[in-house]
Amino acid sequence: MLNVAIVGPGLVGSALIEQLVAHSRSPCFAALPIAVVGIINSKKMAVSSTPFAVGDLNEWKSKVLGGSAAAADLAQFADTVAALKGPTAVVDCTSSDTIAELYPLWLSKGLHVVTPNKKAFSGDISLFRKIQELTTSPQGPSVYHEATVGAGLPVLSTLNDLVRTGDKIVKVEGIFSGTLSYLFNNFSIPGATQKFSDCVSVAKASGYTEPDPRDDLNGMDVARKVTILGRVAGHELSIDTLPVENIVPEQLRSVTTAEEFMSRLPEFDEHFKQLNEEALASGSVLRYVGMVDGVNNQSSVKLARYPLDHPFASLKGSDNII
């Protein structure tokens, strides 16, 4: 039985709880039994020495983190779940820097860590190295962060396997943002007539972008993913020195609200139209791409042209590719 303790039952954490409830009712459960034994949010926490009942998990907000739940205390939470019998994985479903900094402490207590949080793997490289040191032993704790890169594609596990078996990673290149993939797959294709601002509006209305699309267009999310890929491949990349092209028009980077940004974005449609027409005239399309090239020290995140017969040019929807 694998014990699971969930940190941050927000959008991602709630979906995980639903998946674990479904798993408990599936034929796979007998071969891979998983028990939710702890949940903590910013205000309340609950830990149990026995699995929470499925009925309670279905209504965890009231039945697990209801009125009788203890006040949230991450240190106490970690100590309590670490004392439980059997292997225990802490699943960090937040995007918090502060919580990411706790991973070495959790690992030192014998807890496994599973997370989509990019901060520990793309921030201060000393934290990344510490996590690596604590997870080198086959008998020790493990850390899994497959969901930090690739939108569900088995990218990091494949890369880790290549590195472990002695392969030298020369280059990794891909489209790592579902948002930017969607935008340029619709905007920069032969025959397309949609304005760039309209593409962004549709993407925002469809839920592809962050509440403020500048958080996608500035390239920092892709930069974090490229940094993670580079480090896993054995290169000492830093998000602070990685060249990142911010495609938010300079005049709109400091506007106060997302609403103002969206209202003014049409002012720059001509700029994006010109970039697209120049690409199409050369038989290419625009794609926002991240590249790890530690051999030539040419790692980057940028908007680039790719010929129509390139795999990046034929991508559809919001898919990632590597």
Side-chain angles (χ1 to χ4, degrees):
M1 178 78 74
L2 173 66
N3 299 321
V4 168
I6 297 169
V7 178
L11 187 64
V12 174
S14 295
L16 174 61
I17 292 171
E18 290 178 8
Q19 290 179 328
L20 292 176
V21 167
H23 175 71
S24 70
R25 295 167 171 160
S26 78
C28 301
F29 185 79
L32 183 61
I34 300 174
V36 179
V37 295
I39 302 176
I40 182 171
N41 62 18
S42 59
K43 297 179 180 179
K44 297 284 190 72
M45 71 176 188
V47 178
S48 174
S49 58
T50 57
F52 291 125
V54 168
D56 291 344
L57 289 175
N58 281 328
E59 301 179 53
W60 62 266
K61 290 180 181 179
S62 60
K63 293 189 175 181
V64 178
L65 294 186
S68 61
D73 183 326
L74 272 169
Q76 183 182 345
F77 183 80
D79 287 342
T80 306
V81 297
L84 297 176
K85 292 182 180 179
T88 300
V90 178
V91 184
D92 173 21
C93 297
T94 75
S95 59
S96 167
D97 291 277
T98 302
I99 292 176
E101 290 171 358
L102 295 173
Y103 295 174
L105 177 61
W106 294 348
L107 292 166
S108 69
K109 293 177 183 293
L111 295 166
H112 304 285
V113 175
V114 180
T115 184
N117 186 348
K118 304 177 188 68
K119 302 299 175 60
F121 314 99
S122 62
D124 191 325
I125 197 165
S126 64
L127 175 59
F128 178 80
R129 287 174 180 153
K130 185 64 175 176
I131 292 169
Q132 279 192 316
E133 290 171 6
L134 290 166
T135 54
T136 53
S137 171
Q139 287 75 40
S142 302
V143 61
Y144 292 98
H145 57 108
E146 188 72 62
T148 58
V149 180
L153 296 174
V155 174
L156 295 182
S157 56
T158 302
L159 190 56
N160 270 310
D161 286 344
L162 290 170
V163 172
R164 289 192 191 105
T165 53
D167 287 288
K168 181 180 180 181
I169 308 302
V170 177
K171 182 186 289 187
V172 182
E173 187 176 15
I175 294 174
F176 302 110
S177 166
T179 302
L180 293 167
S181 177
Y182 176 86
L183 286 176
F184 288 101
N185 290 345
N186 285 277
F187 174 69
S188 187
I189 55 174
T193 59
Q194 212 172 14
K195 296 176 181 178
F196 186 75
S197 62
D198 291 338
C199 288
V200 176
S201 294
V202 172
K204 187 173 187 298
S206 302
Y208 287 117
T209 74
E210 294 293 330
D212 188 336
R214 288 176 294 182
D215 292 336
D216 297 296
L217 300 174
N218 65 16
M220 292 310 296
D221 181 62
V222 178
R224 288 193 177 279
K225 294 172 182 177
V226 168
T227 300
I228 292 169
L229 286 166
R231 290 178 178 180
V232 171
H235 306 300
E236 294 197 0
L237 288 190
S238 170
I239 200 168
D240 297 322
T241 57
L242 181 69
V244 180
E245 183 176 357
N246 182 350
I247 62 172
V248 177
E250 191 169 350
Q251 298 92 322
L252 301 185
R253 293 176 190 177
S254 60
V255 299
T256 307
T257 65
E259 290 71 22
E260 183 181 357
F261 166 74
M262 292 301 297
S263 69
R264 291 189 56 192
L265 186 57
E267 299 172 20
F268 300 89
D269 278 335
E270 192 60 34
H271 162 71
F272 288 102
K273 179 182 178 182
Q274 183 177 347
L275 291 176
N276 193 33
E277 288 180 344
E278 290 172 356
L280 293 172
S282 68
S284 303
V285 293
L286 297 172
R287 295 293 182 264
Y288 197 85
V289 173
M291 180 190 299
V292 175
D293 185 355
V295 175
N296 300 306
N297 196 28
Q298 294 294 316
S299 299
S300 64
V301 175
K302 63 184 179 180
L303 187 63
R305 296 180 185 180
Y306 287 86
L308 294 173
D309 59 355
H310 192 281
F312 292 177
S314 59
L315 208 60
K316 304 294 183 184
S318 60
D319 287 347
N320 284 201
I321 187 172
I322 185 169

mmCIF file with all atom_site columns, all heavy atoms in Angstrom, residues 112-127:
data_model
loop_
_atom_site.group_PDB
_atom_site.id
_atom_site.type_symbol
_atom_site.label_atom_id
_atom_site.label_alt_id
_atom_site.label_comp_id
_atom_site.label_asym_id
_atom_site.label_entity_id
_atom_site.label_seq_id
_atom_site.pdbx_PDB_ins_code
_atom_site.Cartn_x
_atom_site.Cartn_y
_atom_site.Cartn_z
_atom_site.occupancy
_atom_site.B_iso_or_equiv
_atom_site.pdbx_formal_charge
_atom_site.auth_seq_id
_atom_site.auth_comp_id
_atom_site.auth_asym_id
_atom_site.auth_atom_id
_atom_site.pdbx_PDB_model_num
ATOM 1   N N   . HIS A 1 112 ? 8.782  10.144 -0.215  1.00 0.00 ? 112 HIS A N   1
ATOM 2   C CA  . HIS A 1 112 ? 8.902  10.351 -1.647  1.00 0.00 ? 112 HIS A CA  1
ATOM 3   C C   . HIS A 1 112 ? 8.183  11.662 -1.999  1.00 0.00 ? 112 HIS A C   1
ATOM 4   O O   . HIS A 1 112 ? 7.262  12.084 -1.280  1.00 0.00 ? 112 HIS A O   1
ATOM 5   C CB  . HIS A 1 112 ? 8.279  9.194  -2.425  1.00 0.00 ? 112 HIS A CB  1
ATOM 6   C CG  . HIS A 1 112 ? 8.844  7.853  -2.063  1.00 0.00 ? 112 HIS A CG  1
ATOM 7   N ND1 . HIS A 1 112 ? 10.081 7.424  -2.475  1.00 0.00 ? 112 HIS A ND1 1
ATOM 8   C CD2 . HIS A 1 112 ? 8.329  6.853  -1.296  1.00 0.00 ? 112 HIS A CD2 1
ATOM 9   C CE1 . HIS A 1 112 ? 10.314 6.212  -1.995  1.00 0.00 ? 112 HIS A CE1 1
ATOM 10  N NE2 . HIS A 1 112 ? 9.267  5.844  -1.274  1.00 0.00 ? 112 HIS A NE2 1
ATOM 11  N N   . VAL A 1 113 ? 8.602  12.285 -3.085  1.00 0.00 ? 113 VAL A N   1
ATOM 12  C CA  . VAL A 1 113 ? 7.981  13.538 -3.514  1.00 0.00 ? 113 VAL A CA  1
ATOM 13  C C   . VAL A 1 113 ? 7.525  13.401 -4.966  1.00 0.00 ? 113 VAL A C   1
ATOM 14  O O   . VAL A 1 113 ? 8.299  12.967 -5.834  1.00 0.00 ? 113 VAL A O   1
ATOM 15  C CB  . VAL A 1 113 ? 8.952  14.734 -3.383  1.00 0.00 ? 113 VAL A CB  1
ATOM 16  C CG1 . VAL A 1 113 ? 8.316  16.009 -3.945  1.00 0.00 ? 113 VAL A CG1 1
ATOM 17  C CG2 . VAL A 1 113 ? 9.346  14.945 -1.924  1.00 0.00 ? 113 VAL A CG2 1
ATOM 18  N N   . VAL A 1 114 ? 6.271  13.758 -5.207  1.00 0.00 ? 114 VAL A N   1
ATOM 19  C CA  . VAL A 1 114 ? 5.706  13.765 -6.564  1.00 0.00 ? 114 VAL A CA  1
ATOM 20  C C   . VAL A 1 114 ? 5.084  15.140 -6.770  1.00 0.00 ? 114 VAL A C   1
ATOM 21  O O   . VAL A 1 114 ? 4.357  15.626 -5.895  1.00 0.00 ? 114 VAL A O   1
ATOM 22  C CB  . VAL A 1 114 ? 4.636  12.667 -6.733  1.00 0.00 ? 114 VAL A CB  1
ATOM 23  C CG1 . VAL A 1 114 ? 4.071  12.689 -8.150  1.00 0.00 ? 114 VAL A CG1 1
ATOM 24  C CG2 . VAL A 1 114 ? 5.204  11.295 -6.393  1.00 0.00 ? 114 VAL A CG2 1
ATOM 25  N N   . THR A 1 115 ? 5.369  15.764 -7.913  1.00 0.00 ? 115 THR A N   1
ATOM 26  C CA  . THR A 1 115 ? 4.882  17.139 -8.060  1.00 0.00 ? 115 THR A CA  1
ATOM 27  C C   . THR A 1 115 ? 4.869  17.642 -9.501  1.00 0.00 ? 115 THR A C   1
ATOM 28  O O   . THR A 1 115 ? 5.708  17.229 -10.306 1.00 0.00 ? 115 THR A O   1
ATOM 29  C CB  . THR A 1 115 ? 5.750  18.100 -7.217  1.00 0.00 ? 115 THR A CB  1
ATOM 30  O OG1 . THR A 1 115 ? 5.220  19.425 -7.287  1.00 0.00 ? 115 THR A OG1 1
ATOM 31  C CG2 . THR A 1 115 ? 7.190  18.127 -7.723  1.00 0.00 ? 115 THR A CG2 1
ATOM 32  N N   . PRO A 1 116 ? 3.916  18.535 -9.827  1.00 0.00 ? 116 PRO A N   1
ATOM 33  C CA  . PRO A 1 116 ? 3.970  19.275 -11.083 1.00 0.00 ? 116 PRO A CA  1
ATOM 34  C C   . PRO A 1 116 ? 4.597  20.661 -10.885 1.00 0.00 ? 116 PRO A C   1
ATOM 35  O O   . PRO A 1 116 ? 4.644  21.457 -11.817 1.00 0.00 ? 116 PRO A O   1
ATOM 36  C CB  . PRO A 1 116 ? 2.484  19.407 -11.451 1.00 0.00 ? 116 PRO A CB  1
ATOM 37  C CG  . PRO A 1 116 ? 1.804  19.531 -10.118 1.00 0.00 ? 116 PRO A CG  1
ATOM 38  C CD  . PRO A 1 116 ? 2.600  18.673 -9.161  1.00 0.00 ? 116 PRO A CD  1
ATOM 39  N N   . ASN A 1 117 ? 5.065  20.937 -9.660  1.00 0.00 ? 117 ASN A N   1
ATOM 40  C CA  . ASN A 1 117 ? 5.639  22.245 -9.320  1.00 0.00 ? 117 ASN A CA  1
ATOM 41  C C   . ASN A 1 117 ? 7.044  22.368 -9.919  1.00 0.00 ? 117 ASN A C   1
ATOM 42  O O   . ASN A 1 117 ? 7.947  21.610 -9.561  1.00 0.00 ? 117 ASN A O   1
ATOM 43  C CB  . ASN A 1 117 ? 5.679  22.389 -7.794  1.00 0.00 ? 117 ASN A CB  1
ATOM 44  C CG  . ASN A 1 117 ? 6.118  23.773 -7.343  1.00 0.00 ? 117 ASN A CG  1
ATOM 45  O OD1 . ASN A 1 117 ? 6.605  24.583 -8.114  1.00 0.00 ? 117 ASN A OD1 1
ATOM 46  N ND2 . ASN A 1 117 ? 5.940  24.047 -6.063  1.00 0.00 ? 117 ASN A ND2 1
ATOM 47  N N   . LYS A 1 118 ? 7.239  23.341 -10.798 1.00 0.00 ? 118 LYS A N   1
ATOM 48  C CA  . LYS A 1 118 ? 8.519  23.491 -11.494 1.00 0.00 ? 118 LYS A CA  1
ATOM 49  C C   . LYS A 1 118 ? 9.592  24.168 -10.650 1.00 0.00 ? 118 LYS A C   1
ATOM 50  O O   . LYS A 1 118 ? 10.773 24.131 -10.999 1.00 0.00 ? 118 LYS A O   1
ATOM 51  C CB  . LYS A 1 118 ? 8.330  24.305 -12.778 1.00 0.00 ? 118 LYS A CB  1
ATOM 52  C CG  . LYS A 1 118 ? 7.302  23.771 -13.741 1.00 0.00 ? 118 LYS A CG  1
ATOM 53  C CD  . LYS A 1 118 ? 7.161  24.705 -14.942 1.00 0.00 ? 118 LYS A CD  1
ATOM 54  C CE  . LYS A 1 118 ? 6.002  24.307 -15.833 1.00 0.00 ? 118 LYS A CE  1
ATOM 55  N NZ  . LYS A 1 118 ? 4.694  24.518 -15.195 1.00 0.00 ? 118 LYS A NZ  1
ATOM 56  N N   . LYS A 1 119 ? 9.213  24.814 -9.563  1.00 0.00 ? 119 LYS A N   1
ATOM 57  C CA  . LYS A 1 119 ? 10.123 25.731 -8.881  1.00 0.00 ? 119 LYS A CA  1
ATOM 58  C C   . LYS A 1 119 ? 11.394 25.055 -8.358  1.00 0.00 ? 119 LYS A C   1
ATOM 59  O O   . LYS A 1 119 ? 12.490 25.611 -8.457  1.00 0.00 ? 119 LYS A O   1
ATOM 60  C CB  . LYS A 1 119 ? 9.382  26.428 -7.733  1.00 0.00 ? 119 LYS A CB  1
ATOM 61  C CG  . LYS A 1 119 ? 8.136  27.200 -8.182  1.00 0.00 ? 119 LYS A CG  1
ATOM 62  C CD  . LYS A 1 119 ? 8.464  28.309 -9.157  1.00 0.00 ? 119 LYS A CD  1
ATOM 63  C CE  . LYS A 1 119 ? 7.234  29.002 -9.704  1.00 0.00 ? 119 LYS A CE  1
ATOM 64  N NZ  . LYS A 1 119 ? 6.394  29.637 -8.678  1.00 0.00 ? 119 LYS A NZ  1
ATOM 65  N N   . ALA A 1 120 ? 11.293 23.871 -7.789  1.00 0.00 ? 120 ALA A N   1
ATOM 66  C CA  . ALA A 1 120 ? 12.477 23.219 -7.217  1.00 0.00 ? 120 ALA A CA  1
ATOM 67  C C   . ALA A 1 120 ? 13.473 22.783 -8.275  1.00 0.00 ? 120 ALA A C   1
ATOM 68  O O   . ALA A 1 120 ? 14.665 22.628 -7.995  1.00 0.00 ? 120 ALA A O   1
ATOM 69  C CB  . ALA A 1 120 ? 12.051 22.010 -6.388  1.00 0.00 ? 120 ALA A CB  1
ATOM 70  N N   . PHE A 1 121 ? 13.016 22.599 -9.494  1.00 0.00 ? 121 PHE A N   1
ATOM 71  C CA  . PHE A 1 121 ? 13.851 22.041 -10.550 1.00 0.00 ? 121 PHE A CA  1
ATOM 72  C C   . PHE A 1 121 ? 14.326 23.084 -11.555 1.00 0.00 ? 121 PHE A C   1
ATOM 73  O O   . PHE A 1 121 ? 15.170 22.797 -12.394 1.00 0.00 ? 121 PHE A O   1
ATOM 74  C CB  . PHE A 1 121 ? 13.083 20.916 -11.261 1.00 0.00 ? 121 PHE A CB  1
ATOM 75  C CG  . PHE A 1 121 ? 12.424 19.985 -10.289 1.00 0.00 ? 121 PHE A CG  1
ATOM 76  C CD1 . PHE A 1 121 ? 11.077 20.107 -9.979  1.00 0.00 ? 121 PHE A CD1 1
ATOM 77  C CD2 . PHE A 1 121 ? 13.161 19.022 -9.628  1.00 0.00 ? 121 PHE A CD2 1
ATOM 78  C CE1 . PHE A 1 121 ? 10.466 19.276 -9.053  1.00 0.00 ? 121 PHE A CE1 1
ATOM 79  C CE2 . PHE A 1 121 ? 12.567 18.184 -8.702  1.00 0.00 ? 121 PHE A CE2 1
ATOM 80  C CZ  . PHE A 1 121 ? 11.222 18.305 -8.409  1.00 0.00 ? 121 PHE A CZ  1
ATOM 81  N N   . SER A 1 122 ? 13.789 24.291 -11.450 1.00 0.00 ? 122 SER A N   1
ATOM 82  C CA  . SER A 1 122 ? 14.191 25.357 -12.369 1.00 0.00 ? 122 SER A CA  1
ATOM 83  C C   . SER A 1 122 ? 14.697 26.592 -11.636 1.00 0.00 ? 122 SER A C   1
ATOM 84  O O   . SER A 1 122 ? 15.151 27.540 -12.265 1.00 0.00 ? 122 SER A O   1
ATOM 85  C CB  . SER A 1 122 ? 13.012 25.757 -13.259 1.00 0.00 ? 122 SER A CB  1
ATOM 86  O OG  . SER A 1 122 ? 11.934 26.261 -12.485 1.00 0.00 ? 122 SER A OG  1
ATOM 87  N N   . GLY A 1 123 ? 14.614 26.586 -10.296 1.00 0.00 ? 123 GLY A N   1
ATOM 88  C CA  . GLY A 1 123 ? 15.081 27.726 -9.517  1.00 0.00 ? 123 GLY A CA  1
ATOM 89  C C   . GLY A 1 123 ? 16.555 27.601 -9.181  1.00 0.00 ? 123 GLY A C   1
ATOM 90  O O   . GLY A 1 123 ? 17.372 27.198 -10.020 1.00 0.00 ? 123 GLY A O   1
ATOM 91  N N   . ASP A 1 124 ? 16.910 27.937 -7.952  1.00 0.00 ? 124 ASP A N   1
ATOM 92  C CA  . ASP A 1 124 ? 18.298 27.889 -7.502  1.00 0.00 ? 124 ASP A CA  1
ATOM 93  C C   . ASP A 1 124 ? 18.879 26.497 -7.739  1.00 0.00 ? 124 ASP A C   1
ATOM 94  O O   . ASP A 1 124 ? 18.339 25.493 -7.277  1.00 0.00 ? 124 ASP A O   1
ATOM 95  C CB  . ASP A 1 124 ? 18.345 28.225 -6.006  1.00 0.00 ? 124 ASP A CB  1
ATOM 96  C CG  . ASP A 1 124 ? 19.762 28.461 -5.508  1.00 0.00 ? 124 ASP A CG  1
ATOM 97  O OD1 . ASP A 1 124 ? 20.690 27.789 -5.995  1.00 0.00 ? 124 ASP A OD1 1
ATOM 98  O OD2 . ASP A 1 124 ? 19.939 29.328 -4.622  1.00 0.00 ? 124 ASP A OD2 1
ATOM 99  N N   . ILE A 1 125 ? 19.978 26.438 -8.463  1.00 0.00 ? 125 ILE A N   1
ATOM 100 C CA  . ILE A 1 125 ? 20.540 25.136 -8.839  1.00 0.00 ? 125 ILE A CA  1
ATOM 101 C C   . ILE A 1 125 ? 21.046 24.365 -7.624  1.00 0.00 ? 125 ILE A C   1
ATOM 102 O O   . ILE A 1 125 ? 21.128 23.135 -7.655  1.00 0.00 ? 125 ILE A O   1
ATOM 103 C CB  . ILE A 1 125 ? 21.660 25.291 -9.890  1.00 0.00 ? 125 ILE A CB  1
ATOM 104 C CG1 . ILE A 1 125 ? 21.920 23.934 -10.576 1.00 0.00 ? 125 ILE A CG1 1
ATOM 105 C CG2 . ILE A 1 125 ? 22.928 25.881 -9.279  1.00 0.00 ? 125 ILE A CG2 1
ATOM 106 C CD1 . ILE A 1 125 ? 22.716 24.023 -11.836 1.00 0.00 ? 125 ILE A CD1 1
ATOM 107 N N   . SER A 1 126 ? 21.346 25.064 -6.526  1.00 0.00 ? 126 SER A N   1
ATOM 108 C CA  . SER A 1 126 ? 21.789 24.361 -5.319  1.00 0.00 ? 126 SER A CA  1
ATOM 109 C C   . SER A 1 126 ? 20.664 23.506 -4.753  1.00 0.00 ? 126 SER A C   1
ATOM 110 O O   . SER A 1 126 ? 20.906 22.411 -4.216  1.00 0.00 ? 126 SER A O   1
ATOM 111 C CB  . SER A 1 126 ? 22.289 25.351 -4.266  1.00 0.00 ? 126 SER A CB  1
ATOM 112 O OG  . SER A 1 126 ? 21.248 26.205 -3.831  1.00 0.00 ? 126 SER A OG  1
ATOM 113 N N   . LEU A 1 127 ? 19.412 23.969 -4.875  1.00 0.00 ? 127 LEU A N   1
ATOM 114 C CA  . LEU A 1 127 ? 18.265 23.180 -4.432  1.00 0.00 ? 127 LEU A CA  1
ATOM 115 C C   . LEU A 1 127 ? 18.102 21.949 -5.318  1.00 0.00 ? 127 LEU A C   1
ATOM 116 O O   . LEU A 1 127 ? 17.862 20.843 -4.835  1.00 0.00 ? 127 LEU A O   1
ATOM 117 C CB  . LEU A 1 127 ? 16.998 24.035 -4.451  1.00 0.00 ? 127 LEU A CB  1
ATOM 118 C CG  . LEU A 1 127 ? 15.672 23.332 -4.115  1.00 0.00 ? 127 LEU A CG  1
ATOM 119 C CD1 . LEU A 1 127 ? 15.734 22.710 -2.724  1.00 0.00 ? 127 LEU A CD1 1
ATOM 120 C CD2 . LEU A 1 127 ? 14.507 24.309 -4.215  1.00 0.00 ? 127 LEU A CD2 1
#
